[in-house]
């Protein structure tokens, strides 16, 4: 925590209000989210690199890239599956966003155990996607724990007004992101589900504009609806790389800000606090943050130690892993009683 915080007071508040497990889970979630986004970024970068490679080969020798060349078909298949993987990963992130947004909004204490089939069924997932689209700026302001700026007495009136305008602009941009995410999820929902559960995609169809050496190809995904078969035509082009980059960034930034906002709200004892990041480039924001002394802005770090099994169990566990390549522990590795027993330290930095 920063120096103006009281680590022991924060720790006691977390324990007394059943927030300790939640806080640890949220911090772990931040790290997990960053790693998942890194993998998605690699796919998007890979898609662009594959397109560039094919375009350069078409320039060097157009005969290498003809529809009846098996090597060209193989290259386009690899290109198409990279795009399908991107669509899948973005959809997975949108589902995570829906679950976290709903649970943080309704009861954040349930988040660490919201991991079972009955905790968040598909019908609730689709309701949350609809909420993405119908929520208002005021809803975003409340859900992201944006403060009542009048409570920051250390700021002058002009600074409060500036802070209000910055946060209002940020909330509007978050809402715009939610609407873009909603449209992506609605448009690609069936493609994502078909990719997970069937082999209905048709890939490898040759497509390049030789005159300008730009990929112009398509993926086809078959889908049955109302006893009839429809086919989704998904473009593969530089424009799609830009679109997927934009949507992936929206999902990542919104989820990052949401989790960070929940952490700040908890460690500030559910009182007014300012967000760590805002969806605007206002230069005065950092200056205003430095003047606010009535809320804390911690570093989000956690260290978890998992104790090894008893000596008598090591052999049994090793044998099961050797046979099944997985072992199910009969217990929660993030068990609150164990955390309290081992001890929890809240530091100033």
């Amino acid at each position: 925590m920063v120096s103006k915080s009281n680590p022991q007071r924060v720790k006691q508040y977390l324990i007394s209000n059943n927030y300790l497990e939640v806080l640890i889970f949220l911090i772990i979630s931040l790290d997990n989210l960053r790693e998942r986004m890194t993998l998605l970024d690699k796919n998007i970068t890979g898609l662009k690199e594959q397109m560039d490679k094919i375009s350069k080969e078409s320039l060097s020798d157009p005969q290498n890239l003809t529809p009846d060349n098996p090597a060209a078909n193989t290259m386009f298949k690899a290109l198409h599956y990279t795009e399908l993987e991107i669509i899948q990963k973005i959809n997975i992130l949108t589902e995570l966003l829906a679950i976290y947004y709903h649970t943080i909004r309704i009861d954040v204490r349930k988040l660490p155990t919201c991991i079972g089939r009955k905790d968040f069924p598909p019908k609730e997932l689709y309701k949350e996607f609809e909420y993405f689209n119908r929520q208002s700026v005021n809803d975003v302001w409340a859900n992201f724990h944006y403060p009542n700026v009048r409570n920051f007495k250390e700021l002058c009136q002009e600074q409060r007004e500036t802070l209000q305008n910055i946060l209002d602009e940020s909330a509007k941009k978050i809402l715009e992101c939610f609407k873009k995410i909603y449209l992506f999820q609605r448009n690609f929902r069936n493609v994502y589900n078909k990719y997970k559960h069937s082999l209905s995609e048709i890939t490898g169809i040759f497509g390049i504009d030789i005159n300008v050496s730009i990929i112009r190809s398509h993926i086809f995904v078959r889908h049955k609806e109302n006893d009839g078969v429809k086919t989704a035509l998904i473009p593969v082009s530089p424009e799609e790389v830009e679109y997927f980059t934009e949507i992936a960034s929206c999902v990542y930034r919104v989820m990052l800000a949401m989790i960070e906002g929940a952490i700040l709200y908890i460690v500030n004892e559910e009182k007014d606090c300012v967000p760590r990041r805002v969806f605007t480039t206002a230069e005065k924001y950092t200056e205003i943050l430095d003047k606010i002394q009535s809320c804390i802005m911690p570093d989000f770090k956690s260290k978890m130690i998992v104790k090894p099994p008893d000596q008598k169990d090591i052999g049994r566990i090793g044998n099961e892993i050797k046979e099944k390549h997985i072992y199910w522990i009969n217990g929660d590795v993030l068990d609150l009683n164990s955390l309290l027993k081992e001890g929890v330290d809240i530091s100033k930095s």
Side-chain angles (χ1 to χ4, degrees):
M1 303 293 177
V2 292
S3 59
K4 57 188 174 183
S5 68
N6 183 329
Q8 290 307 312
R9 174 177 169 175
V10 172
K11 177 180 176 179
Q12 189 55 51
Y13 178 82
L14 296 175
I15 295 172
S16 300
N17 292 274
N18 299 318
Y19 273 137
L20 182 59
E21 184 182 12
V22 179
L23 186 69
I24 293 172
F25 184 79
L26 287 170
I27 294 172
I28 291 172
S29 295
L30 281 179
D31 289 337
N32 295 345
L33 177 62
R34 293 187 186 101
E35 292 303 317
R36 292 196 185 206
M37 190 61 196
T38 297
L39 293 175
L40 177 54
D41 277 339
K42 287 180 180 178
N43 281 137
I44 294 175
T45 300
L47 182 64
K48 186 177 185 304
E49 290 174 348
Q50 286 173 276
M51 286 184 177
D52 291 342
K53 182 176 183 293
I54 294 174
S55 297
K56 287 178 182 177
E57 291 194 8
S58 71
L59 282 174
S60 62
D61 187 357
Q63 296 302 314
N64 289 334
L65 291 173
T66 56
D68 56 353
N69 183 351
N73 174 263
T74 299
M75 279 195 294
F76 273 93
K77 272 190 172 292
L79 184 70
H80 292 170
Y81 275 100
T82 300
E83 179 157 311
L84 286 169
E85 284 292 316
I86 290 169
I87 292 170
Q88 175 176 244
K89 283 187 171 69
I90 295 177
N91 270 282
I92 290 171
L93 284 181
T94 63
E95 291 183 349
L96 286 172
L97 174 60
I99 293 169
Y100 272 65
Y101 197 44
H102 178 86
T103 311
I104 286 174
R105 191 172 74 249
I106 304 303
D107 186 358
V108 70
R109 291 178 179 86
K110 292 183 178 180
L111 191 57
T113 56
C114 190
I115 51 177
R117 285 185 296 178
K118 295 181 180 179
D119 291 317
F120 208 87
K123 65 178 182 179
E124 295 300 324
L125 192 65
Y126 298 138
K127 286 181 183 178
E128 190 65 18
F129 290 139
E130 294 298 324
Y131 180 79
F132 283 7
N133 191 47
R134 73 170 188 271
Q135 65 183 325
S136 66
V137 171
N138 288 338
D139 291 327
V140 171
W141 193 285
N143 296 336
F144 280 72
H145 303 297
Y146 278 16
N148 181 343
V149 300
R150 289 174 296 183
N151 291 333
F152 296 125
K153 305 301 183 185
E154 56 268 55
L155 301 180
C156 67
Q157 182 62 27
E158 181 182 353
Q159 290 168 333
R160 290 191 202 117
E161 290 176 359
T162 300
L163 179 58
Q164 178 75 26
N165 292 335
I166 291 172
L167 295 179
D168 188 54
E169 181 184 352
S170 180
K172 289 176 180 176
K173 289 186 176 180
I174 289 174
L175 185 59
E176 289 175 8
C177 279
F178 268 115
K179 290 184 180 295
K180 290 177 182 179
I181 295 165
Y182 164 77
L183 287 175
F184 171 86
Q185 205 285 327
R186 188 186 69 180
N187 291 335
F188 284 90
R189 180 183 300 171
N190 289 328
V191 172
Y192 166 53
N193 286 328
K194 288 295 167 291
Y195 186 58
K196 280 195 303 181
H197 300 298
S198 74
L199 294 170
S200 64
E201 67 272 10
I202 297 172
T203 60
I205 305 299
F206 179 93
I208 189 168
D209 186 338
I210 296 294
N211 294 324
V212 291
S213 191
I214 292 178
I215 301 295
R216 297 291 181 197
S217 183
H218 298 89
I219 302 166
F220 300 92
V221 177
R222 299 168 65 245
H223 170 64
K224 193 170 185 178
E225 189 174 280
N226 299 326
D227 297 323
V229 176
K230 300 167 63 175
T231 302
L233 184 151
I234 307 163
V236 182
S237 68
E239 291 84 357
E240 303 317 305
V241 176
E242 293 180 9
Y243 176 64
F244 293 139
T245 300
E246 178 188 16
I247 298 301
S249 176
C250 277
V251 179
Y252 176 67
R253 291 175 64 221
V254 166
M255 196 166 180
L256 198 66
M258 175 188 62
I259 295 174
E260 287 180 345
I263 293 173
L264 287 172
Y265 188 62
I266 289 171
V267 298
N268 280 282
E269 302 178 30
E270 302 175 82
K271 297 174 183 174
D272 280 315
C273 56
V274 283
R276 168 163 287 180
R277 69 187 71 238
V278 289
F279 286 55
T280 175
T281 55
E283 295 180 1
K284 290 187 177 180
Y285 189 63
T286 302
E287 179 184 330
I288 291 174
L289 285 185
D290 291 339
K291 292 182 178 297
I292 294 176
Q293 301 295 313
S294 54
C295 67
I296 61 174
M297 189 76 69
D299 292 326
F300 303 145
K301 297 178 182 178
S302 69
K303 181 173 70 174
M304 184 175 176
I305 300 174
V306 179
K307 295 180 68 175
D310 294 336
Q311 192 66 34
K312 60 183 178 63
D313 294 326
I314 289 178
R316 176 178 57 81
I317 294 172
N319 289 335
E320 188 161 337
I321 288 175
K322 187 175 182 179
E323 178 186 352
K324 301 178 180 178
H325 305 280
I326 188 172
Y327 175 78
W328 284 97
I329 300 171
N330 188 24
D332 189 353
V333 73
L334 195 62
D335 177 64
L336 181 60
N337 291 329
S338 297
L339 292 173
L340 292 173
K341 182 178 179 181
E342 294 300 324
V344 176
D345 292 323
I346 305 292
S347 63
K348 288 188 178 182
S349 61

